[in-house]
Amino acid sequence: MLESRSAVLKLMQNQACKDRCIDRFPPPFSRQFTPYRQHDFSSAVREVCSSPRQPLSGLKISKAIFLGDVAVGKTSLVNRYCHKVFDRNYKATIGVDFEVERFDIIKIPFNLQIWDTAGQERFKCIASSYYRGAQVVAVLFDLSNMYSLSHCAQWLEEALACNTLQPIIFLIGTKRDLLSSSAYKHVEEKAACLAKQLGAEYWAVSSRTGDGVHELFQRMAALAFDMSVLRDLNTLNTTVSIGSQPLSVKPTQKKENFKCNGLHCQ
């Protein structure tokens, strides 16, 4: 499979491409539509990553799973970012496809594993076995198909049931190029409302034009990296000595109970 071979080759890279190097914390799609309010990497993360005595060992890796109904554009989004291509001919994903993107984030090597899951009901039992261990859950819907938005809460609930720790959550509207500005505004209101209920960060992108795609994945990688390093530091008994100064780290966030009432905002 092309995706698998590509993933292996990227895993063998010694350094990230220039457009995969992140030093500044990427902004959200909109400050209004995100629960992640930080404007920079956590101070503990910047401090430990800049220290010559930093205790982190090995390549940092985070897992992102992409969920959503059939034909919402999961594979198109992944291919646009990973391969810079857009294929108009729809081919349904069978089971799960796998990609990996290598980043250098504040000069620390980092791999984002991208798991593109099938949306068909008959493959759900196969795909759901790959949900475990996800640090990022991206739930996609088609901006031109409100029916796909109504299923997003269920997709997220199934993913959260397979994970013990709270992941970073994205609600991503695809095919932005198909809507006029007025039509998009109407959809955005409903999508932003649902994103708030789900505790998700909302994005609208177009895989055909590439609009917002690079920015989305940069943001996703940065948030995942920040959380991954904090959790590693937390595993090191919450205190790490850097020079003569002790570094305190907040405890890892546990998963919250999840309940959603679909598209009806409370």
Side-chain angles (χ1 to χ4, degrees):
M1 183 180 292
L2 174 61
E3 291 83 358
S4 299
R5 291 198 298 270
S6 171
V8 171
L9 290 173
K10 289 178 181 178
L11 281 169
M12 296 171 63
Q13 289 180 350
N14 291 324
Q15 60 184 23
C17 299
K18 187 176 181 180
D19 66 349
R20 302 294 195 267
C21 295
I22 302 173
D23 289 312
R24 294 184 177 182
F25 200 69
F29 178 75
S30 169
R31 293 286 176 195
Q32 293 179 279
F33 304 148
T34 180
Y36 311 114
R37 300 296 184 181
Q38 64 196 88
H39 292 264
D40 194 7
F41 294 100
S42 302
S43 57
V45 172
R46 277 207 177 272
E47 192 171 353
V48 76
C49 290
S50 63
S51 171
R53 299 173 57 186
Q54 58 101 346
L56 305 177
S57 60
L59 180 69
K60 307 304 299 173
I61 300 175
S62 287
K63 177 179 181 180
I65 56 174
F66 282 58
L67 316 174
D69 285 359
V70 176
V72 296
K74 299 183 294 294
T75 300
S76 292
L77 178 59
V78 172
N79 284 340
R80 165 58 77 177
Y81 185 69
C82 296
H83 303 293
K84 296 180 172 60
V85 297
F86 176 75
D87 188 353
R88 293 178 179 273
N89 299 316
Y90 173 71
K91 296 177 182 178
T93 300
I94 299 175
V96 175
D97 280 339
F98 172 79
E99 287 285 356
V100 63
E101 282 298 317
R102 167 66 187 271
F103 295 84
D104 282 344
I105 302 182
I106 47 180
K107 298 181 173 57
I108 300 295
F110 175 72
N111 276 348
L112 183 66
Q113 296 179 349
I114 302 168
W115 297 79
D116 172 19
T117 65
Q120 297 100 318
E121 186 68 31
R122 67 180 185 273
F123 293 127
K124 187 172 286 188
C125 61
I126 300 174
S128 62
S129 65
Y130 293 93
Y131 293 177
R132 287 186 292 274
Q135 286 82 34
V136 178
V137 176
V139 185
L140 280 68
F141 71 97
D142 181 347
L143 286 163
S144 66
N145 178 5
M146 291 298 292
Y147 190 64
S148 65
L149 179 63
S150 68
H151 295 156
C152 289
Q154 181 183 349
W155 283 108
L156 178 59
E157 190 167 11
E158 291 172 0
L160 293 181
C162 297
N163 287 278
T164 56
L165 295 177
Q166 180 72 22
I168 297 162
I169 304 170
F170 286 85
L171 179 65
I172 303 169
T174 62
K175 309 182 186 181
R176 172 66 182 87
D177 54 289
L178 297 183
L179 275 69
S180 65
S181 296
S182 58
Y184 170 72
K185 281 297 181 184
H186 174 70
V187 176
E188 183 184 71
E189 289 180 7
K190 293 185 177 295
C193 176
L194 180 60
K196 185 175 181 179
Q197 280 192 331
L198 302 182
E201 179 168 302
Y202 169 72
W203 281 74
V205 299
S206 169
S207 299
R208 185 179 71 84
T209 66
D211 185 35
V213 174
H214 177 77
E215 294 82 0
L216 166 65
F217 278 90
Q218 296 288 96
R219 172 76 172 175
M220 190 178 291
L223 283 170
F225 174 83
D226 195 71
M227 183 177 73
S228 176
V229 173
L230 285 176
R231 285 181 176 174
D232 277 2
L233 291 175
N234 195 32
T235 302
L236 297 173
N237 297 320
T238 72
T239 302
V240 178
S241 294
I242 299 179
S244 60
Q245 299 297 321
L247 173 64
S248 298
V249 183
K250 294 181 180 179
T252 302
Q253 182 183 8
K254 298 294 184 181
K255 185 177 74 173
E256 300 175 355
N257 292 330
F258 174 76
K259 186 176 181 181
C260 181
N261 297 317
L263 296 178
H264 302 290
C265 294
Q266 302 297 319

